[in-house]
mmCIF file of all heavy atoms in Angstrom:
data_model
loop_
_atom_site.group_PDB
_atom_site.id
_atom_site.type_symbol
_atom_site.label_atom_id
_atom_site.label_comp_id
_atom_site.label_asym_id
_atom_site.label_seq_id
_atom_site.Cartn_x
_atom_site.Cartn_y
_atom_site.Cartn_z
ATOM 1 N N LYS A 58 11.140 11.430 6.068
ATOM 2 C CA LYS A 58 10.058 10.449 6.024
ATOM 3 C C LYS A 58 10.185 9.559 4.776
ATOM 4 O O LYS A 58 10.035 8.345 4.838
ATOM 5 C CB LYS A 58 8.728 11.199 5.941
ATOM 6 C CG LYS A 58 7.786 10.932 7.084
ATOM 7 C CD LYS A 58 6.506 11.708 6.803
ATOM 8 C CE LYS A 58 5.566 11.699 7.977
ATOM 9 N NZ LYS A 58 4.430 12.605 7.737
ATOM 10 N N ILE A 59 10.470 10.196 3.647
ATOM 11 C CA ILE A 59 10.584 9.458 2.388
ATOM 12 C C ILE A 59 11.790 8.517 2.430
ATOM 13 O O ILE A 59 11.690 7.348 2.065
ATOM 14 C CB ILE A 59 10.661 10.435 1.193
ATOM 15 C CG1 ILE A 59 9.306 11.136 1.027
ATOM 16 C CG2 ILE A 59 11.068 9.717 -0.086
ATOM 17 C CD1 ILE A 59 9.316 12.333 0.086
ATOM 18 N N LEU A 60 12.917 9.010 2.925
ATOM 19 C CA LEU A 60 14.110 8.160 2.980
ATOM 20 C C LEU A 60 13.933 7.032 3.993
ATOM 21 O O LEU A 60 14.456 5.929 3.811
ATOM 22 C CB LEU A 60 15.355 8.998 3.281
ATOM 23 C CG LEU A 60 15.728 9.968 2.144
ATOM 24 C CD1 LEU A 60 16.908 10.841 2.534
ATOM 25 C CD2 LEU A 60 16.028 9.213 0.854
ATOM 26 N N GLY A 61 13.167 7.294 5.037
ATOM 27 C CA GLY A 61 12.830 6.241 5.999
ATOM 28 C C GLY A 61 12.028 5.130 5.331
ATOM 29 O O GLY A 61 12.267 3.943 5.566
ATOM 30 N N ALA A 62 11.105 5.526 4.476
ATOM 31 C CA ALA A 62 10.281 4.546 3.757
ATOM 32 C C ALA A 62 11.122 3.760 2.750
ATOM 33 O O ALA A 62 10.894 2.568 2.530
ATOM 34 C CB ALA A 62 9.130 5.254 3.054
ATOM 35 N N VAL A 63 12.092 4.419 2.155
ATOM 36 C CA VAL A 63 13.012 3.754 1.217
ATOM 37 C C VAL A 63 13.751 2.633 1.939
ATOM 38 O O VAL A 63 13.812 1.490 1.472
ATOM 39 C CB VAL A 63 14.023 4.776 0.634
ATOM 40 C CG1 VAL A 63 15.173 4.072 -0.080
ATOM 41 C CG2 VAL A 63 13.321 5.760 -0.305
ATOM 42 N N GLN A 64 14.259 2.968 3.121
ATOM 43 C CA GLN A 64 15.007 1.994 3.920
ATOM 44 C C GLN A 64 14.102 0.832 4.339
ATOM 45 O O GLN A 64 14.477 -0.330 4.234
ATOM 46 C CB GLN A 64 15.556 2.713 5.146
ATOM 47 C CG GLN A 64 16.727 2.005 5.777
ATOM 48 C CD GLN A 64 17.285 2.815 6.940
ATOM 49 O OE1 GLN A 64 16.571 3.611 7.566
ATOM 50 N NE2 GLN A 64 18.543 2.626 7.220
ATOM 51 N N LYS A 65 12.897 1.184 4.789
ATOM 52 C CA LYS A 65 11.940 0.172 5.250
ATOM 53 C C LYS A 65 11.556 -0.788 4.118
ATOM 54 O O LYS A 65 11.249 -1.953 4.357
ATOM 55 C CB LYS A 65 10.699 0.889 5.784
ATOM 56 C CG LYS A 65 10.012 0.126 6.891
ATOM 57 C CD LYS A 65 8.863 0.917 7.496
ATOM 58 C CE LYS A 65 7.707 -0.019 7.783
ATOM 59 N NZ LYS A 65 6.420 0.697 7.849
ATOM 60 N N ALA A 66 11.582 -0.259 2.881
ATOM 61 C CA ALA A 66 11.224 -1.094 1.730
ATOM 62 C C ALA A 66 12.393 -1.994 1.309
ATOM 63 O O ALA A 66 12.291 -2.745 0.339
ATOM 64 C CB ALA A 66 10.803 -0.203 0.566
ATOM 65 N N GLY A 67 13.499 -1.893 2.019
ATOM 66 C CA GLY A 67 14.664 -2.705 1.696
ATOM 67 C C GLY A 67 15.396 -2.216 0.456
ATOM 68 O O GLY A 67 16.071 -2.989 -0.229
ATOM 69 N N ILE A 68 15.255 -0.933 0.173
ATOM 70 C CA ILE A 68 15.924 -0.365 -0.995
ATOM 71 C C ILE A 68 17.149 0.424 -0.523
ATOM 72 O O ILE A 68 17.045 1.254 0.386
ATOM 73 C CB ILE A 68 14.969 0.575 -1.767
ATOM 74 C CG1 ILE A 68 13.799 -0.227 -2.347
ATOM 75 C CG2 ILE A 68 15.709 1.334 -2.865
ATOM 76 C CD1 ILE A 68 12.678 0.641 -2.918
ATOM 77 N N ASN A 69 18.292 0.127 -1.132
ATOM 78 C CA ASN A 69 19.484 0.928 -0.874
ATOM 79 C C ASN A 69 19.309 2.256 -1.603
ATOM 80 O O ASN A 69 19.031 2.259 -2.803
ATOM 81 C CB ASN A 69 20.707 0.166 -1.403
ATOM 82 C CG ASN A 69 22.009 0.865 -1.034
ATOM 83 O OD1 ASN A 69 22.070 2.099 -0.947
ATOM 84 N ND2 ASN A 69 23.031 0.073 -0.804
ATOM 85 N N SER A 70 19.473 3.360 -0.892
ATOM 86 C CA SER A 70 19.198 4.658 -1.529
ATOM 87 C C SER A 70 20.095 4.886 -2.749
ATOM 88 O O SER A 70 19.754 5.649 -3.638
ATOM 89 C CB SER A 70 19.321 5.798 -0.512
ATOM 90 O OG SER A 70 20.630 5.837 -0.014
ATOM 91 N N ARG A 71 21.225 4.174 -2.813
ATOM 92 C CA ARG A 71 22.095 4.307 -3.993
ATOM 93 C C ARG A 71 21.505 3.636 -5.238
ATOM 94 O O ARG A 71 21.971 3.837 -6.347
ATOM 95 C CB ARG A 71 23.479 3.737 -3.701
ATOM 96 C CG ARG A 71 24.446 4.793 -3.187
ATOM 97 C CD ARG A 71 25.689 4.175 -2.658
ATOM 98 N NE ARG A 71 25.366 3.240 -1.564
ATOM 99 C CZ ARG A 71 26.245 2.744 -0.711
ATOM 100 N NH1 ARG A 71 27.522 3.054 -0.839
ATOM 101 N NH2 ARG A 71 25.880 1.925 0.249
ATOM 102 N N ASP A 72 20.490 2.796 -5.017
ATOM 103 C CA ASP A 72 19.840 2.133 -6.151
ATOM 104 C C ASP A 72 18.654 2.918 -6.703
ATOM 105 O O ASP A 72 17.957 2.457 -7.604
ATOM 106 C CB ASP A 72 19.365 0.730 -5.752
ATOM 107 C CG ASP A 72 20.541 -0.213 -5.576
ATOM 108 O OD1 ASP A 72 21.589 0.036 -6.205
ATOM 109 O OD2 ASP A 72 20.430 -1.181 -4.796
ATOM 110 N N ILE A 73 18.398 4.095 -6.131
ATOM 111 C CA ILE A 73 17.341 4.936 -6.702
ATOM 112 C C ILE A 73 17.946 5.714 -7.869
ATOM 113 O O ILE A 73 18.968 6.377 -7.716
ATOM 114 C CB ILE A 73 16.756 5.902 -5.649
ATOM 115 C CG1 ILE A 73 16.214 5.103 -4.460
ATOM 116 C CG2 ILE A 73 15.643 6.748 -6.262
ATOM 117 C CD1 ILE A 73 15.677 5.969 -3.335
ATOM 118 N N SER A 74 17.319 5.574 -9.030
ATOM 119 C CA SER A 74 17.925 6.143 -10.241
ATOM 120 C C SER A 74 17.308 7.477 -10.641
ATOM 121 O O SER A 74 17.881 8.204 -11.447
ATOM 122 C CB SER A 74 17.781 5.151 -11.400
ATOM 123 O OG SER A 74 16.413 4.823 -11.591
ATOM 124 N N LEU A 75 16.137 7.806 -10.092
ATOM 125 C CA LEU A 75 15.420 8.976 -10.606
ATOM 126 C C LEU A 75 14.356 9.442 -9.614
ATOM 127 O O LEU A 75 13.726 8.627 -8.949
ATOM 128 C CB LEU A 75 14.737 8.573 -11.932
ATOM 129 C CG LEU A 75 13.960 9.640 -12.712
ATOM 130 C CD1 LEU A 75 14.915 10.675 -13.303
ATOM 131 C CD2 LEU A 75 13.143 8.994 -13.842
ATOM 132 N N ILE A 76 14.158 10.764 -9.563
ATOM 133 C CA ILE A 76 12.975 11.333 -8.889
ATOM 134 C C ILE A 76 12.064 11.834 -10.003
ATOM 135 O O ILE A 76 12.403 12.776 -10.727
ATOM 136 C CB ILE A 76 13.335 12.501 -7.951
ATOM 137 C CG1 ILE A 76 14.374 12.069 -6.909
ATOM 138 C CG2 ILE A 76 12.069 13.034 -7.261
ATOM 139 C CD1 ILE A 76 14.904 13.220 -6.040
ATOM 140 N N LEU A 77 10.934 11.154 -10.154
ATOM 141 C CA LEU A 77 10.010 11.457 -11.244
ATOM 142 C C LEU A 77 8.750 12.107 -10.666
ATOM 143 O O LEU A 77 8.211 11.629 -9.666
ATOM 144 C CB LEU A 77 9.649 10.145 -11.953
ATOM 145 C CG LEU A 77 8.582 10.194 -13.040
ATOM 146 C CD1 LEU A 77 9.028 11.077 -14.198
ATOM 147 C CD2 LEU A 77 8.285 8.771 -13.535
ATOM 148 N N HIS A 78 8.280 13.184 -11.298
ATOM 149 C CA HIS A 78 7.107 13.900 -10.778
ATOM 150 C C HIS A 78 5.871 13.661 -11.639
ATOM 151 O O HIS A 78 5.934 13.833 -12.852
ATOM 152 C CB HIS A 78 7.390 15.403 -10.708
ATOM 153 C CG HIS A 78 8.484 15.729 -9.742
ATOM 154 N ND1 HIS A 78 9.803 15.688 -10.102
ATOM 155 C CD2 HIS A 78 8.450 16.062 -8.431
ATOM 156 C CE1 HIS A 78 10.540 15.992 -9.039
ATOM 157 N NE2 HIS A 78 9.750 16.216 -8.009
ATOM 158 N N THR A 79 4.769 13.306 -11.002
ATOM 159 C CA THR A 79 3.514 13.212 -11.752
ATOM 160 C C THR A 79 3.076 14.599 -12.186
ATOM 161 O O THR A 79 2.410 14.747 -13.199
ATOM 162 C CB THR A 79 2.393 12.580 -10.908
ATOM 163 O OG1 THR A 79 2.167 13.377 -9.728
ATOM 164 C CG2 THR A 79 2.729 11.151 -10.504
ATOM 165 N N HIS A 80 3.459 15.613 -11.408
ATOM 166 C CA HIS A 80 3.239 17.022 -11.757
ATOM 167 C C HIS A 80 3.987 17.886 -10.749
ATOM 168 O O HIS A 80 4.615 17.355 -9.835
ATOM 169 C CB HIS A 80 1.750 17.349 -11.824
ATOM 170 C CG HIS A 80 1.008 17.221 -10.524
ATOM 171 N ND1 HIS A 80 0.816 16.001 -9.911
ATOM 172 C CD2 HIS A 80 0.418 18.140 -9.726
ATOM 173 C CE1 HIS A 80 0.121 16.192 -8.796
ATOM 174 N NE2 HIS A 80 -0.130 17.480 -8.649
ATOM 175 N N GLY A 81 3.885 19.215 -10.912
ATOM 176 C CA GLY A 81 4.800 20.071 -10.151
ATOM 177 C C GLY A 81 4.252 20.731 -8.896
ATOM 178 O O GLY A 81 4.904 21.623 -8.355
ATOM 179 N N HIS A 82 3.110 20.314 -8.386
ATOM 180 C CA HIS A 82 2.538 20.979 -7.211
ATOM 181 C C HIS A 82 3.371 20.765 -5.941
ATOM 182 O O HIS A 82 4.127 19.799 -5.843
ATOM 183 C CB HIS A 82 1.103 20.485 -6.967
ATOM 184 C CG HIS A 82 0.100 21.123 -7.882
ATOM 185 N ND1 HIS A 82 -1.133 20.570 -8.143
ATOM 186 C CD2 HIS A 82 0.154 22.289 -8.589
ATOM 187 C CE1 HIS A 82 -1.803 21.367 -8.974
ATOM 188 N NE2 HIS A 82 -1.046 22.399 -9.264
ATOM 189 N N PHE A 83 3.162 21.667 -4.941
ATOM 190 C CA PHE A 83 3.976 21.696 -3.716
ATOM 191 C C PHE A 83 3.961 20.374 -2.942
ATOM 192 O O PHE A 83 4.924 20.048 -2.254
ATOM 193 C CB PHE A 83 3.477 22.816 -2.782
ATOM 194 C CG PHE A 83 2.301 22.388 -1.936
ATOM 195 C CD1 PHE A 83 2.499 21.983 -0.613
ATOM 196 C CD2 PHE A 83 1.035 22.333 -2.475
ATOM 197 C CE1 PHE A 83 1.419 21.551 0.155
ATOM 198 C CE2 PHE A 83 -0.035 21.893 -1.706
ATOM 199 C CZ PHE A 83 0.155 21.506 -0.393
ATOM 200 N N ASP A 84 2.857 19.622 -3.060
ATOM 201 C CA ASP A 84 2.749 18.383 -2.280
ATOM 202 C C ASP A 84 3.293 17.178 -3.040
ATOM 203 O O ASP A 84 3.172 16.036 -2.584
ATOM 204 C CB ASP A 84 1.292 18.147 -1.846
ATOM 205 C CG ASP A 84 0.313 18.213 -3.007
ATOM 206 O OD1 ASP A 84 0.560 18.985 -3.955
ATOM 207 O OD2 ASP A 84 -0.693 17.490 -2.978
ATOM 208 N N HIS A 85 3.893 17.440 -4.210
ATOM 209 C CA HIS A 85 4.514 16.370 -5.005
ATOM 210 C C HIS A 85 5.975 16.696 -5.312
ATOM 211 O O HIS A 85 6.736 15.818 -5.676
ATOM 212 C CB HIS A 85 3.727 16.147 -6.297
ATOM 213 C CG HIS A 85 2.302 15.741 -6.027
ATOM 214 N ND1 HIS A 85 1.856 14.451 -6.152
ATOM 215 C CD2 HIS A 85 1.237 16.460 -5.579
ATOM 216 C CE1 HIS A 85 0.571 14.386 -5.812
ATOM 217 N NE2 HIS A 85 0.174 15.595 -5.460
ATOM 218 N N ALA A 86 6.310 17.986 -5.166
ATOM 219 C CA ALA A 86 7.683 18.410 -5.444
ATOM 220 C C ALA A 86 8.267 19.200 -4.269
ATOM 221 O O ALA A 86 9.325 19.802 -4.377
ATOM 222 C CB ALA A 86 7.716 19.274 -6.712
ATOM 223 N N GLY A 87 7.584 19.142 -3.112
ATOM 224 C CA GLY A 87 7.967 19.974 -1.965
ATOM 225 C C GLY A 87 9.307 19.607 -1.352
ATOM 226 O O GLY A 87 9.998 20.468 -0.799
ATOM 227 N N SER A 88 9.692 18.338 -1.424
ATOM 228 C CA SER A 88 10.977 17.921 -0.847
ATOM 229 C C SER A 88 11.976 17.495 -1.915
ATOM 230 O O SER A 88 13.009 16.895 -1.613
ATOM 231 C CB SER A 88 10.767 16.772 0.155
ATOM 232 O OG SER A 88 10.094 17.239 1.306
ATOM 233 N N THR A 89 11.671 17.822 -3.147
ATOM 234 C CA THR A 89 12.553 17.429 -4.258
ATOM 235 C C THR A 89 13.963 17.998 -4.096
ATOM 236 O O THR A 89 14.955 17.281 -4.247
ATOM 237 C CB THR A 89 11.950 17.888 -5.605
ATOM 238 O OG1 THR A 89 10.668 17.278 -5.764
ATOM 239 C CG2 THR A 89 12.838 17.493 -6.763
ATOM 240 N N ALA A 90 14.061 19.295 -3.777
ATOM 241 C CA ALA A 90 15.377 19.940 -3.688
ATOM 242 C C ALA A 90 16.240 19.235 -2.641
ATOM 243 O O ALA A 90 17.412 18.915 -2.888
ATOM 244 C CB ALA A 90 15.213 21.420 -3.353
ATOM 245 N N GLU A 91 15.647 18.970 -1.478
ATOM 246 C CA GLU A 91 16.389 18.317 -0.391
ATOM 247 C C GLU A 91 16.789 16.884 -0.778
ATOM 248 O O GLU A 91 17.913 16.450 -0.545
ATOM 249 C CB GLU A 91 15.527 18.326 0.876
ATOM 250 C CG GLU A 91 16.124 17.632 2.078
ATOM 251 C CD GLU A 91 17.402 18.286 2.603
ATOM 252 O OE1 GLU A 91 17.631 19.474 2.286
ATOM 253 O OE2 GLU A 91 18.173 17.598 3.307
ATOM 254 N N LEU A 92 15.870 16.152 -1.399
ATOM 255 C CA LEU A 92 16.170 14.772 -1.796
ATOM 256 C C LEU A 92 17.255 14.730 -2.874
ATOM 257 O O LEU A 92 18.109 13.853 -2.879
ATOM 258 C CB LEU A 92 14.901 14.074 -2.287
ATOM 259 C CG LEU A 92 13.915 13.685 -1.174
ATOM 260 C CD1 LEU A 92 12.567 13.299 -1.759
ATOM 261 C CD2 LEU A 92 14.472 12.538 -0.321
ATOM 262 N N LYS A 93 17.210 15.696 -3.766
ATOM 263 C CA LYS A 93 18.232 15.740 -4.819
ATOM 264 C C LYS A 93 19.612 15.999 -4.212
ATOM 265 O O LYS A 93 20.604 15.396 -4.609
ATOM 266 C CB LYS A 93 17.880 16.829 -5.840
ATOM 267 C CG LYS A 93 18.809 16.801 -7.021
ATOM 268 C CD LYS A 93 18.521 17.853 -8.042
ATOM 269 C CE LYS A 93 19.690 17.894 -9.015
ATOM 270 N NZ LYS A 93 19.469 18.825 -10.102
#
Side-chain angles (χ1 to χ4, degrees):
K58 240 182 189 172
I59 291 168
L60 293 176
V63 167
Q64 201 176 26
K65 211 174 140 203
I68 295 170
N69 186 327
S70 61
R71 268 169 301 195
D72 288 334
I73 302 177
S74 56
L75 182 69
I76 304 173
L77 174 63
H78 296 85
T79 59
H80 64 293
H82 281 159
F83 83 99
D84 52 328
H85 300 257
S88 291
T89 300
E91 177 64 20
L92 286 167
K93 187 181 168 176

